Amino acid sequence: MTSRSVQSRILGLVAAAVLVALCALLGAAATAPSALAADDYPYRNDASFNRSTSGGNADPWGFIVRNCTSFAAWRLNVQQGRTGAPWAFTNTMGGGSYGNGTVFGNAAHWATRASQLGYAVNQTPAVGSVAQWTTTYYGHVAIVTAVSNGGNTVTVEEYNWPYTSGGVTYYDGAYHTRSITRGSSSWPSNFLHIADGGAATPPPPAPAPVSYELAFEANTINLWTVGSDSRGDWRLGMMAGTSPSITRLATGGYETAFQANTGNLWVVGGAGAGSRGDCGLGMMAGTSPSIAALTNGGYIVAFQANTGALWTTGTIGTKNWGLGMMAGTSPAVTALPGGGYEVAFQANTGNLWTVGS
């Protein structure tokens, strides 16, 4: 009873894995058992299933059709009243990612992922729990349909039970049931309580989508931003050899500060940010501004003016601090959690100074 993982790469950038559950017999393979009639699995007749490799098309839950993991995923959804999207159980539920292995994956890995999501994993069978075998590399999963004899006998339903013909093992990709007694070699390794009411804690919600924005001076000397906003080329020339500064606003969107090829400070933004464009403030050649988002909204920019003095400007106003900076240096600014900001810079005396509000 095994579950095989198949991964493919899309455009060389995004890795996606399709998992094939090869349900191999624990111990010697039996002759082909007959299928029962209580099968409601929607992909039972999918012709893509390969009896030699157990491969086939992907199902909606992130597994391969007519494999043990695919059938178990279907049954766990049915148990939670889901026979269509949005699904209650999938391979990547709870924010799982193929890239870092936080998926249910092969059947042998199901107990690990279930535990990570807060589900109870133990040796106590219950109707509706997942029976798991880990005695082979890929493992096997089935669904418990009955518990008797004081918890020492279980009946399970499952898919893809193998059989041997002419010394060759085949995978039938079909539905079967069987009863197993505790102490036998076929007794499951674990019982996973995912949809039978035995969860230790509810699974955590999926994390919010991750977004980012990156600002840089392209080799065309134009300002570019890349990321979730997908703006690309702003068609705004930057001063050669300088770098932009970008910040995410507390109210959403972002702002980017940079020295334009006119020598002036510019502030531009996206995704709903209220930008100023040309601030009309000259900057010292060869220096770069620093921008920070204020906790109560808005932003503050610190820069070395073309007079050599430290200046700040932003949504709370513009200020000439009257403090000389070392030529060719750039300040750094950060917002404070309780409000206000602090600026660090090298003074024209060579000393480090910090000022703020």
Side-chain angles (χ1 to χ4, degrees), residues 304 307-310 320-327 329 345-351 353:
Q304 182 176 169
T307 62
L310 172 71
N320 176 5
W321 288 81
L323 299 171
M325 291 184 60
M326 184 64 72
T329 64
F345 66 100
Q346 184 180 12
N348 53 13
T349 63
N351 287 354
W353 278 59

